[in-house]
Amino acid sequence: MQSRRVVITGMGQISPLGMDLESFTNAFDSGTSGIRKIESLPGEALPSPYAGEAREFTGNIADFGDVDKNAMRSIRKNLKVMCREIQMGVAAAQRALQHGGLASGSFDPERCGVIYGSDYMMTLPEEFDKATAACINDAGEFDFEVWAEKGLPEVNPLWLLKYLPNMPASHIAIFNDMRGPNNSITLREASAGAALGEAMMTIARGHADVIVAGSTGTRVHETRTCHSYLQDPIAKGTDESCGKCLPFDLNRKGMIIGEGAGALLLESLEHAEARGAKILGEVIGQSICTGWNADRSPNRPAAIVNAMNMVCRDAGIGASDIGHINAHGLGSQQSDWDEAEGLREFLGDSVKTVPVVAMKSYFGNLGAGSGVIEVIGSLLAMQKKQLPGTLGYSTPDPKCELNIQADSQEIAADGVFVSLNFSPQGQASAIAIRGV
């Protein structure tokens, strides 16, 4: 079957910058950061008290937007079997559907599906409080020998459903009666681009007319935060500078933890035009790549070069045709060096002319949730013809020679941008989108 054009008709996001598109874009316009002192965890017990929390999101049914009665009843009933990451992912998807004007019952359910990216999801310790207490012996020690008899019966039999990474796509499909292609992708920060890319290809090859594509993630979590501080290059310290995410800046301290989710409503051009939908952009290229050294260790610069070359080949464009790059921009020393190296090699002579923006400077690393939110940021910027600057960027790192600006700059509404994300393990995903 001939490849079909894939367009974007709806957007939804839950982030440290709010839950609606207006507050999100206003934060870019005003240079407002969503990174503040943490409230959901005891900041005084952490190496740094700063995080990008999605504070407006409470998990209340109102957070899911203007859903119809049937969906509202179903979502409310299932909230108890959704952890916060899943709730945010579902809410972002419902908001994207509402923004795109795709109402339940107005589409062929067999031709509509869901593809979602996520991190692996971690259980909250309190899920096992009663079970653990039941296995404490007279000496005050945990006795594993009685776990099956005394502990396991105290565990909620549905607890696992709250933390399975395939559940965002499952819930979204059930709530909206979407019976078509359904998939879940867990590639850490590269998950978002991979999900959007698969959604694009699924529609292009004719296997679906509509796909809700998104991602959700967190680094703000009782257990996940501990893992992050042990494994990730996080900014540590209590002074104000440790609460700033400064991608590519010489004075950057490291990654800032955050949480959030984003979703896009993707449709074939024919389907969107037939229902009179407003087209926000067109997905014209995708890639998911890796890079390896001779000893089989990850080579992130090579992965980035591969992903950027492939996304441009898929889109039929060259480096000089890119209006701007929405970079991964983690804000840690080595990650930014690796990204700058890869982008410099890819851009070649265009390295001084293609603008690069790092939107994590506004909200931190949202894990798998970052990528789609960054795409939404670029789409909103193109609608206003104004690309926000990288927040806090003031002292260029000589090893990160890219065209990064602290101030906003004018861009074309119908230009092309590429959104890039990659994981510490060397998986890189990229999406090319043309504005309208």
Side-chain angles (χ1 to χ4, degrees), residues 157-199:
L158 299 179
W159 74 269
L160 187 58
L161 293 179
K162 296 173 67 174
Y163 303 101
L164 290 173
N166 64 305
M167 293 310 293
S170 176
H171 284 300
I172 295 162
I174 292 170
F175 296 153
N176 298 284
D177 192 24
M178 293 181 161
R179 309 173 199 167
N182 190 290
N183 202 1
S184 305
I185 297 172
T186 53
L187 293 174
R188 284 194 57 150
E189 289 86 348
S191 300
L196 292 177
E198 182 169 333

Side-chain angles (χ1 to χ4, degrees), residues 90-167:
V90 172
Q94 296 304 132
R95 287 170 174 269
L97 286 164
Q98 294 156 28
H99 184 247
L102 191 68
S104 179
S106 67
F107 51 82
D108 179 356
E110 305 292 341
R111 300 286 302 168
C112 299
V114 185
I115 299 177
Y116 239 70
S118 72
D119 296 309
Y120 64 88
M121 296 180 183
M122 302 192 74
T123 303
L124 291 172
E126 49 263 39
E127 297 280 3
F128 301 106
D129 282 354
K130 291 182 179 180
T132 302
C135 297
I136 302 298
N137 60 26
D138 293 338
E141 299 172 337
F142 178 78
D143 183 2
F144 184 73
E145 295 298 324
V146 299
W147 172 257
E149 177 187 353
K150 296 182 178 181
L152 202 54
E154 297 296 332
V155 178
N156 185 327
L158 299 179
W159 74 269
L160 187 58
L161 293 179
K162 296 173 67 174
Y163 303 101
L164 290 173
N166 64 305
M167 293 310 293

Side-chain angles (χ1 to χ4, degrees), residues 65-84:
D66 187 19
V67 295
D68 63 45
K69 290 183 179 180
N70 290 332
M72 181 182 295
R73 189 180 304 112
S74 185
I75 293 171
R76 183 184 284 118
K77 180 180 178 181
N78 284 277
L79 283 173
K80 62 180 179 294
V81 290
M82 292 188 240
C83 68
R84 184 171 172 83

Side-chain angles (χ1 to χ4, degrees), residues 28-326:
F28 288 134
D29 292 343
S30 61
T32 300
S33 172
I35 299 169
R36 290 160 288 185
K37 286 196 173 182
I38 197 166
E39 291 185 352
S40 59
L41 296 173
E44 67 279 2
L46 298 173
S48 173
Y50 295 99
E53 297 172 286
R55 292 186 181 178
E56 290 187 18
F57 185 80
T58 64
N60 185 281
I61 189 64
D63 295 344
F64 294 76
D66 187 19
V67 295
D68 63 45
K69 290 183 179 180
N70 290 332
M72 181 182 295
R73 189 180 304 112
S74 185
I75 293 171
R76 183 184 284 118
K77 180 180 178 181
N78 284 277
L79 283 173
K80 62 180 179 294
V81 290
M82 292 188 240
C83 68
R84 184 171 172 83
E85 281 169 87
I86 295 175
Q87 290 179 356
M88 289 191 297
V90 172
Q94 296 304 132
R95 287 170 174 269
L97 286 164
Q98 294 156 28
H99 184 247
L102 191 68
S104 179
S106 67
F107 51 82
D108 179 356
E110 305 292 341
R111 300 286 302 168
C112 299
V114 185
I115 299 177
Y116 239 70
S118 72
D119 296 309
Y120 64 88
M121 296 180 183
M122 302 192 74
T123 303
L124 291 172
E126 49 263 39
E127 297 280 3
F128 301 106
D129 282 354
K130 291 182 179 180
T132 302
C135 297
I136 302 298
N137 60 26
D138 293 338
E141 299 172 337
F142 178 78
D143 183 2
F144 184 73
E145 295 298 324
V146 299
W147 172 257
E149 177 187 353
K150 296 182 178 181
L152 202 54
E154 297 296 332
V155 178
N156 185 327
L158 299 179
W159 74 269
L160 187 58
L161 293 179
K162 296 173 67 174
Y163 303 101
L164 290 173
N166 64 305
M167 293 310 293
S170 176
H171 284 300
I172 295 162
I174 292 170
F175 296 153
N176 298 284
D177 192 24
M178 293 181 161
R179 309 173 199 167
N182 190 290
N183 202 1
S184 305
I185 297 172
T186 53
L187 293 174
R188 284 194 57 150
E189 289 86 348
S191 300
L196 292 177
E198 182 169 333
M200 169 202 170
M201 293 187 293
T202 301
I203 295 173
R205 64 176 175 255
H207 287 181
D209 297 323
V210 177
I211 296 285
V212 178
S215 62
T216 182
T218 188
R219 296 292 181 268
V220 183
H221 180 280
E222 292 176 23
T223 310
R224 190 58 185 265
T225 297
C226 293
H227 280 212
S228 291
Y229 273 106
L230 290 171
Q231 300 172 350
D232 296 325
I234 295 180
K236 298 176 182 179
T238 58
D239 63 273
E240 190 175 332
S241 66
C242 296
K244 295 180 179 180
C245 182
L246 302 173
F248 307 113
D249 191 277
L250 183 65
N251 297 314
R252 63 192 184 277
K253 302 289 185 180
M255 181 185 103
I256 305 291
I257 59 174
E259 60 175 355
L264 298 178
L265 180 59
L266 303 185
E267 302 182 51
S268 69
L269 178 62
E270 297 86 352
H271 190 275
E273 289 180 335
R275 70 181 188 90
K278 180 180 180 180
I279 294 172
L280 309 173
E282 180 180 0
V283 187
I284 60 173
Q286 62 80 38
S287 67
I288 176 73
C289 299
T290 59
W292 300 97
N293 294 310
D295 63 357
R296 296 183 179 272
S297 62
N299 185 325
R300 291 184 297 195
I304 291 164
V305 173
N306 292 340
M308 294 300 292
N309 280 329
M310 287 189 67
V311 75
C312 286
R313 184 177 66 189
D314 198 41
I317 60 174
S320 61
D321 298 316
I322 299 174
H324 75 269
I325 295 173
N326 198 325

Side-chain angles (χ1 to χ4, degrees), residues 233 250 252-255 331-338 397 400:
L250 183 65
R252 63 192 184 277
K253 302 289 185 180
M255 181 185 103
S332 71
Q333 190 174 67
Q334 190 62 53
S335 178
D336 288 359
W337 284 342
D338 289 345
D397 183 339
C400 298

